[in-house]
């Protein structure tokens, strides 16, 4: 029997429960050759089913990791119910500290199953980072939280679709702190983790990595900044010394055109929005977030809690489908 993929439900007041239910009910996950298990809350999932006008029932079971089973027609979805939230009273877009704790419990439980080897991979739904802080967790996102729980010093946030994959050197921090945070060592570590993950999981024998500059025109010889000469170029040289096919620092404005047409396997970006703006322009619907460098497999939707859509039934589930599909593919290479 294949080990399951665990889908964490994310913020109970956001679109996470809805996109899971939508993907399951639509049959878009039927091709995934592993059992799926939602780590979440049955009452909240039932509320999402109601929102989608699905005729869905819930029953208790004791079957491996599952405690409940959702049933709609002949479809069944296993659930590990880890919270007991008052679903009808939850206000869309307003998670309290109880919701924050529930989000953390789903993630931590799923991570532990992957670490123990009882699950093949985890696929995360979107969380609210203020709510997990209110529940006592100061990690700025899943990426950092999972790195801590897996006792891994350095991981890489990658977001990707068929035409573009971006790997970030820095993630969740104020833009003004980026220049002082960048170090040659950290860029080398990002390049190495990216290179190794692309060989292992994405079928690249010699990954072509484009490393971006930080400043306009790659610093214009020092006139618009010296991070390229001081920090980034030495990192590329060190990576190349290790046999990695890294190039740059490339001017960020033009490089994405060439990456998207297939000249590179991945783009190493210096900060969050440098990579995520072009990525979402091309892959808003089907982009997947993957944490590289963990001892477990974690993929995620590329979007957030979408409070403007929560409770309307209008959220698109394509990214969730892509994230589950990618987790299943990566699990085959584990
Ligand atoms: N992996 C995670 O847990 C992530 C969590 N977040 C969190 O989400 C919250 C909101 O972040 P934002 O930057 O506003 O991003 P967002 O992705 O929630 O929303 C941005 C825009 O995209 C739309 N959108 C998002 N998901 C959609 C979907 N499935 N279908 C159709 N339209 C969709 C929204 O309606 C909104 O107009 C923040 O608390 C942020 O920290 C954001 C990104 C990832
Ligand atoms: N915009 C991507 C993002 O914020 C992902 O955060 P997380 O996967 O670390 O939760």
């Amino acid at each position: 029997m294949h080990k399951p993929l665990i889908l964490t439900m994310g913020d109970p007041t956001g679109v996470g429960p809805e996109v899971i239910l939508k993907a399951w009910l639509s049959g878009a996950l039927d091709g995934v050759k592993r059992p799926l298990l939602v780590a979440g809350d049955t009452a909240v999932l039932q509320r999402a089913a109601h929102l989608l006008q699905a005729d869905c029932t819930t029953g208790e079971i004791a079957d491996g990791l599952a405690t409940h089973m959702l049933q709609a027609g002949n479809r069944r979805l296993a659930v590990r119910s880890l919270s007991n939230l008052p679903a009808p009273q939850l206000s869309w877009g307003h998670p309290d500290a109880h919701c924050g704790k529930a989000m953390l419990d789903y993630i931590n439980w799923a991570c532990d199953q992957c670490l123990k080897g009882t699950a093949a991979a985890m696929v995360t739904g979107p969380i609210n980072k203020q709510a997990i802080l209110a529940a006592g967790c100061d990690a700025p996102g899943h990426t950092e939280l999972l790195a801590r729980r897996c006792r891994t010093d350095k991981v890489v946030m990658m977001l990707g679709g068929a035409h573009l994959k971006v790997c970030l050197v820095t993630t969740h921090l104020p833009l003004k702190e980026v220049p002082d945070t960048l170090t040659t060592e950290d860029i080398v570590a990002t390049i190495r983790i990216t290179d190794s993950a692309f060989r292992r999981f994405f079928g690249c024998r010699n990954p072509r990595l484009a490393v971006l500059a930080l400043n306009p025109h790659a610093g214009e010889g020092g006139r618009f900044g010296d991070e390229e000469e001081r920090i980034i170029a030495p990192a590329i040289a060190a990576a190349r010394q290790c046999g990695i096919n890294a190039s740059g620092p490339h001017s960020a404005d033009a490089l994405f055109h060439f990456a998207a047409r297939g000249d590179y396997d991945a783009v190493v970006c210096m900060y969050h929005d440098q990579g995520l703006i072009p990525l979402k322009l091309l892959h808003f619907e089907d982009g997947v977030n993957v944490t590289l460098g963990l001892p477990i497999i974690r993929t995620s939707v590329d979007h957030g809690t979408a409070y403007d859509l929560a409770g309307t039934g209008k959220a698109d589930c394509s990214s969730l489908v892509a994230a589950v599909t990618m987790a299943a593919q990566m699990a085959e290479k584990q």
Side-chain angles (χ1 to χ4, degrees):
M1 180 66 169
H2 279 314
K3 291 178 190 172
L5 306 177
I6 300 180
L7 281 61
T8 62
M9 199 184 73
D11 183 347
T13 75
V15 296
E18 176 191 328
V19 294
I20 291 175
L21 265 272
K22 211 175 240 181
W24 168 58
L25 290 165
S26 71
L29 298 174
D30 290 355
V32 178
K33 300 284 175 256
R34 279 182 186 271
L36 304 180
L37 173 73
V38 180
D41 187 309
T42 44
V44 175
L45 292 166
Q46 271 289 7
R47 178 164 84 149
H50 187 69
L51 182 70
L52 300 174
Q53 298 175 341
D55 189 7
C56 185
T57 56
T58 308
E60 284 187 27
I61 55 157
D63 182 11
L65 299 173
T67 56
H68 293 75
M69 190 69 80
L70 294 190
Q71 180 133 15
N74 58 4
R75 293 190 176 284
R76 287 155 68 89
L77 183 63
V79 178
R80 176 77 174 211
S81 209
L82 293 165
S83 59
N84 201 8
L85 295 167
Q89 282 102 57
L90 295 180
S91 169
W92 297 111
H94 296 285
D96 59 15
H98 297 292
C99 290
K101 178 176 180 313
M103 295 174 218
L104 288 169
D105 288 346
Y106 311 149
I107 298 164
N108 288 334
W109 182 82
C111 177
D112 292 350
Q113 299 314 310
C114 293
L115 284 171
K116 278 195 274 185
T118 47
M122 61 188 288
V123 181
T124 58
I127 56 169
N128 178 299
K129 287 137 190 185
Q130 292 296 338
I132 64 166
L133 183 62
C137 172
D138 68 353
H142 291 89
T143 307
E144 299 83 355
L145 193 164
L146 292 170
R148 278 186 207 169
R149 198 158 184 96
C150 295
R151 296 194 164 84
T152 307
D153 288 338
K154 171 70 185 169
V155 296
V156 174
M157 186 190 290
M158 179 198 108
L159 280 96
H163 303 293
L164 182 66
K165 292 182 175 60
V166 298
C167 298
L168 312 184
V169 176
T170 62
T171 54
H172 295 122
L173 78 172
L175 188 54
K176 67 180 178 189
E177 291 177 18
V178 168
D180 288 341
T181 304
L182 289 175
T183 65
T184 299
E185 294 69 30
D186 202 29
I187 298 170
V188 173
T190 305
I191 295 172
R192 290 180 79 120
I193 290 170
T194 301
D195 178 73
S196 148
F198 272 65
R199 289 172 193 269
R200 180 171 175 196
F201 292 115
F202 302 123
C204 299
R205 276 201 275 170
N206 186 22
R208 298 160 301 163
L209 308 182
V211 183
L212 293 187
L214 176 69
N215 297 299
H217 309 169
E220 192 88 40
R223 184 168 174 196
F224 302 151
D226 65 357
E227 285 82 0
E228 287 74 19
E229 287 169 28
R230 258 188 325 110
I231 302 171
I232 305 172
I236 297 166
R240 292 186 65 83
Q241 283 279 330
C242 302
I244 297 175
N245 188 3
S247 61
H250 295 280
S251 292
D253 58 354
L255 188 282
F256 289 104
H257 166 76
F258 299 104
R261 75 175 193 187
D263 292 3
Y264 300 98
D265 296 304
V267 184
V268 176
C269 305
M270 295 302 124
Y271 58 95
H272 185 279
D273 286 5
Q274 187 179 47
L276 265 54
I277 291 171
L279 188 278
K280 292 197 177 183
L281 196 59
L282 289 178
H283 288 294
F284 186 83
E285 286 89 3
D286 62 346
V288 179
N289 176 350
V290 187
T291 312
L292 307 179
L294 287 173
I296 63 170
I297 295 172
R298 179 260 172 160
T299 68
S300 178
V301 293
D302 70 347
H303 58 78
T305 49
Y307 289 151
D308 53 332
L309 291 183
T312 67
K314 291 182 183 161
D316 185 333
C317 67
S318 311
S319 177
L320 191 267
V321 173
V324 174
T325 305
M326 188 180 285
Q329 287 165 353
M330 291 175 74
E332 295 312 306
K333 312 240 162 100
Q334 208 165 21

